[in-house]
């Protein structure tokens, strides 16, 4: 696989090579500087894809020929020969498990190896992790707002940033807590449940009942075919009982027709799957429709009618979900597209990849912008839990420092509180990083997408409500 990189990475690589420091042992860490969407946390995603690309990292003959054409003509031939031998066999990668909750300034991926290779991997790793983590986090926020029982369907393929963005959105929104996708290719590639209904155009394509063919349907229990259209038409005369149209006057055709067809299907032994709303005041309409379905079920003695699922779509946003909760609704399934896959509230997670150590010496970036200063040295990362089982602090320590233990009093320096120390006593201590890549191979079994999704939901459930709330969350100390 041709390396996914920026030109300036090759320029720096040449500089390292000419200075004969290209094989100096180095370490870099990947993290984000502030929580996305105004929240305090993110979900780490994209690790499996990053490891796959690491295994395939090399420059083909065609790659080298192309680089000869774009790098300065003074570039030495020996450098290109060196590139043709390059791979990730001397690289070690440790990271938090995919789907883990991560916080600002805490490295959730660490790369060690020869300086030149560590540098060359920067763009690729950022590309594969940034959007994946962003959309997984966005999905998790929608899941929090929707609650645990409402079904969420990702339906953003037509609005995504190209087919790659569409596939990534389907995959990582599933990790973040969505139940299904409309994207058939994502379903095939990743085994995500696929769902869908029909579009307005399908209804609009019919101009008369004569065009409805075929009309016959076999009863589920067997027997002679029945003219479903005629049966539904007979039911339509009966569903116009008091309360149906008066209660829901804006659906003088749609809802009575649905009830008629659903009752005809019931008579033949089938159940209607549900209804979908795509415009107007969705929360209000859902409540009106539920009242009608309950009345219809009671009137015709069809108990399951009152539980017919109600699905909604139409440019659903976080604000929409907050309104559904505030107004109360009878919505069972929500389809979300644009505001999920394009992440309009924050188009990028802003992950950075910073050199923290070369030749055993810590590296520090000093800048007038305090937020952009880096924390030197290769680090171990620990998560500290309180007695309630909530994480209350992430601890970064140099690798040579002793590991903290449960019940131990720790004196810590909290980022953003310059010069101040705090004493904490964790009930549980969890080392966050695992080594996933060594000697050119993935060295830790990778979970399935469903297992990653489960891990993500467990990680999110452990968060203190003060840290996961949508508005003005309590800052998480590091």
């Amino acid at each position: 696989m041709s390396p996914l990189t920026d030109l300036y990475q090759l320029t720096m690589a040449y500089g390292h090579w000419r200075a004969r420091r290209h094989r100096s042992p180095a370490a870099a860490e990947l993290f984000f500087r502030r929580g996305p969407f105004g929240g305090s946390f993110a979900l780490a995603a994209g690790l499996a894809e990053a490891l796959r690309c690491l295994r395939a990292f090399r420059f083909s003959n065609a790659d080298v020929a192309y680089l000869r054409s774009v790098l300065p003509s003074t570039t030495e031939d020996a450098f290109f020969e060196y590139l043709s031998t390059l791979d990730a066999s001397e690289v070690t990668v440790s990271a938090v498990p995919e789907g883990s909750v991560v916080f600002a300034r805490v490295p959730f991926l660490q790369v060690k190896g020869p300086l030149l290779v560590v540098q060359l991997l920067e763009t690729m790793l950022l590309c594969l992790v940034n959007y994946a983590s962003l959309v997984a986090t966005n999905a998790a926020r929608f899941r929090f707002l929707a609650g645990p029982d409402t079904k969420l369907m990702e339906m953003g393929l037509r609005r995504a940033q190209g087919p790659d963005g569409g596939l990534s959105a389907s995959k990582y929104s599933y990790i973040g807590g969505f139940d299904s996708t409309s994207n058939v290719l994502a379903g095939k590639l990743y085994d995500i449940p696929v769902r869908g209904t029909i579009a307005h155009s399908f209804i609009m394509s019919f101009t008369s009942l004569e065009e409805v063919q075929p009309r016959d349907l076999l009863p589920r229990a067997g027997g002679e075919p029945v003219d479903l259209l005629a049966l539904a038409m007979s039911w339509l005369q009966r569903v116009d009982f008091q309360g149906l149209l008066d209660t829901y006057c804006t659906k003088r055709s749609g809802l009575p027709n649905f009830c008629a067809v659903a009752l005809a299907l019931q008579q033949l032994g089938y159940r209607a799957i549900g209804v979908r709303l795509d415009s107007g005041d969705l929360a209000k309409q859902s409540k009106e429709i539920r009242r009608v379905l309950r009345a219809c079920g009671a009137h015709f003695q069809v108990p399951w009618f009152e539980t017919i699922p109600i699905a909604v779509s139409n440019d659903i946003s976080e604000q929409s979900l907050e309104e559904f909760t505030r107004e109360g609704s009878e919505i069972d399934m929500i389809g979300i597209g644009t505001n999920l896959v394009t992440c309009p509230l924050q188009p990028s997670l802003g992950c950075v990849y910073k050199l923290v150590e070369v030749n055993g010496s810590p590296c520090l970036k000093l800048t007038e912008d305090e937020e952009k200063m880096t924390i030197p040295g290769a680090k171990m990362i620990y998560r500290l839990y309180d007695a309630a089982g909530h994480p209350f602090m992430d601890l970064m320590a140099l690798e040579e420092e002793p590991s903290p233990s449960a019940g131990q009093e720790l004196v810590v320096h909290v980022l953003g509180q310059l010069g101040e120390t705090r004493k904490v006593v964790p009930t549980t201590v969890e080392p966050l990083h695992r080594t996933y890549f060594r000697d050119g191979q993935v060295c830790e079994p990778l979970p399935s997408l469903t297992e990653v999704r489960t891990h993500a939901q467990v990680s999110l459930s452990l968060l203190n409500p003060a840290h996961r709330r949508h508005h003005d969350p309590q800052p998480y100390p590091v």
Side-chain angles (χ1 to χ4, degrees):
M1 177 179 177
S2 299
L4 188 65
T5 191
D6 293 309
L7 180 62
Y8 85 147
Q9 305 287 11
L10 275 303
T11 305
M12 289 187 287
Y14 184 51
H16 289 316
W17 181 83
R18 286 208 68 191
R20 299 298 181 258
R21 58 198 308 270
H22 54 290
R23 292 193 52 77
S24 298
E29 294 174 341
L30 189 151
F31 58 94
F32 57 91
R33 293 189 173 107
R34 60 179 67 179
F37 310 110
S40 68
F41 71 90
L43 278 182
L47 176 63
E49 188 71 11
L51 295 174
R52 184 184 70 82
C53 290
L54 273 172
R55 285 186 60 186
F57 176 83
R58 61 186 50 85
F59 291 91
S60 68
N61 291 336
D63 294 331
V64 173
Y66 173 71
L67 293 177
R68 284 181 182 273
S69 73
V70 295
L71 288 174
S73 59
T74 54
T75 306
E76 297 177 39
D77 286 341
F79 175 66
F80 295 111
E81 293 169 5
Y82 175 72
L83 287 183
S84 68
T85 68
L86 215 54
D87 58 25
S89 60
E90 296 182 76
V91 169
T92 300
V93 173
S94 61
V96 301
E98 188 159 12
S100 297
V101 168
V102 286
F103 299 98
R105 305 292 296 275
V106 179
F108 59 96
L109 190 146
Q110 183 189 79
V111 182
K112 291 182 177 180
L115 175 58
L116 184 147
V117 180
V118 168
Q119 185 71 66
L120 279 178
L121 293 174
E122 175 182 10
T123 302
M124 180 186 80
L125 293 174
L126 286 173
C127 176
L128 295 173
V129 166
N130 251 315
Y131 178 69
S133 301
L134 182 73
V135 77
T137 307
N138 201 23
R141 289 172 61 84
F142 276 109
R143 170 49 72 196
F144 277 146
L145 288 173
D149 300 323
T150 301
K151 297 295 184 183
L152 293 178
M153 179 175 74
E154 177 273 316
M155 46 185 290
L157 181 58
R158 66 187 60 192
R159 302 287 175 81
Q161 287 92 337
D164 291 341
L167 281 171
S168 293
S170 299
K171 180 178 182 179
Y172 296 113
S173 63
Y174 185 63
I175 288 176
F178 273 58
D179 299 285
S180 59
T181 179
S182 67
N183 187 340
V184 175
L185 183 56
K188 174 187 173 185
L189 294 176
Y190 309 128
D191 200 27
I192 301 172
V194 290
R195 298 287 183 270
T197 56
I198 55 175
H200 298 292
S201 60
F202 183 80
I203 306 298
M204 294 163 59
S205 69
F206 293 89
T207 58
S208 69
L209 293 178
E210 284 69 34
E211 295 178 353
V212 178
Q213 297 293 336
R215 295 167 54 144
D216 291 342
L217 179 66
L218 288 173
R220 191 168 188 176
E224 294 298 314
V226 175
D227 186 328
L228 179 62
L229 178 58
L231 184 61
M233 292 296 290
S234 70
W235 275 106
L236 187 59
Q237 308 308 311
R238 302 170 62 188
V239 298
D240 191 8
F241 61 92
Q242 185 172 357
L244 177 58
L245 295 185
D246 290 344
T247 301
Y248 199 75
C249 61
T250 59
K251 291 290 182 181
R252 292 188 180 276
S253 61
L255 190 53
N257 286 335
F258 170 80
C259 290
V261 174
L263 288 165
L265 289 171
Q266 149 76 15
Q267 186 175 334
L268 297 178
Y270 300 94
R271 283 196 179 190
I273 293 174
V275 297
R276 177 166 72 100
L277 303 172
D278 193 47
S279 61
D281 187 333
L282 300 176
K284 179 181 178 182
Q285 291 182 72
S286 73
K287 290 185 286 187
E288 293 172 343
I289 287 177
R290 183 67 71 204
R291 284 198 293 268
V292 170
L293 294 176
R294 285 174 179 148
C296 199
H299 187 82
F300 296 109
Q301 297 183 331
V302 184
W304 61 265
F305 229 73
E306 68 176 61
T307 61
I308 289 175
I310 298 173
V312 301
S313 53
N314 188 30
D315 206 26
I316 303 295
S317 64
E318 287 189 0
Q319 183 180 353
S320 305
L321 298 191
E322 290 175 324
E323 290 172 357
F324 294 164
T325 300
R326 187 165 54 249
E327 297 174 18
S329 78
E330 291 287 344
I331 295 168
D332 302 292
M333 174 179 280
I334 304 173
I336 307 177
T338 305
N339 290 296
L340 172 64
V341 306
T342 66
C343 303
L345 296 180
Q346 182 172 326
S348 173
L349 179 55
C351 285
V352 294
Y353 179 94
K354 296 300 180 184
L355 204 61
V356 294
E357 190 173 284
V358 176
N359 275 328
S361 297
C363 297
L364 168 66
K365 177 183 178 181
L366 284 173
T367 171
E368 293 178 356
D369 186 345
E370 184 178 336
E371 187 183 67
K372 289 193 171 186
M373 289 178 60
T374 60
I375 301 169
K379 291 173 275 297
M380 297 291 291
I381 313 298
Y382 304 93
R383 182 152 294 167
L384 311 183
Y385 291 83
D386 60 22
H390 299 306
F392 71 87
M393 178 179 288
D394 279 9
L395 176 66
M396 294 188 286
L398 293 176
E399 290 180 330
E400 60 268 22
E401 292 187 85
S403 301
S405 57
Q408 176 187 1
E409 183 178 82
L410 304 171
V411 180
V412 300
H413 298 265
V414 180
L415 288 178
Q417 299 178 11
L418 194 62
E420 296 184 22
T421 60
R422 184 190 303 183
K423 293 180 179 180
V424 297
V425 181
T427 301
T428 305
V429 176
E430 177 190 15
L432 287 189
H433 281 197
R434 300 181 189 174
T435 300
Y436 282 96
F437 191 87
R438 183 187 287 119
D439 300 329
Q441 298 296 324
V442 177
C443 57
E444 171 99 2
L446 296 181
S448 67
L449 190 65
T450 301
E451 290 171 330
V452 173
R453 181 179 187 271
T454 299
H455 172 64
Q457 301 315 302
V458 171
S459 298
L460 291 165
S461 71
L462 294 177
L463 283 176
N464 188 308
H467 293 140
R468 73 178 180 216
R469 64 186 177 220
H470 260 58
H471 303 292
D472 300 317
Q474 181 177 312
Y476 184 85
V478 175

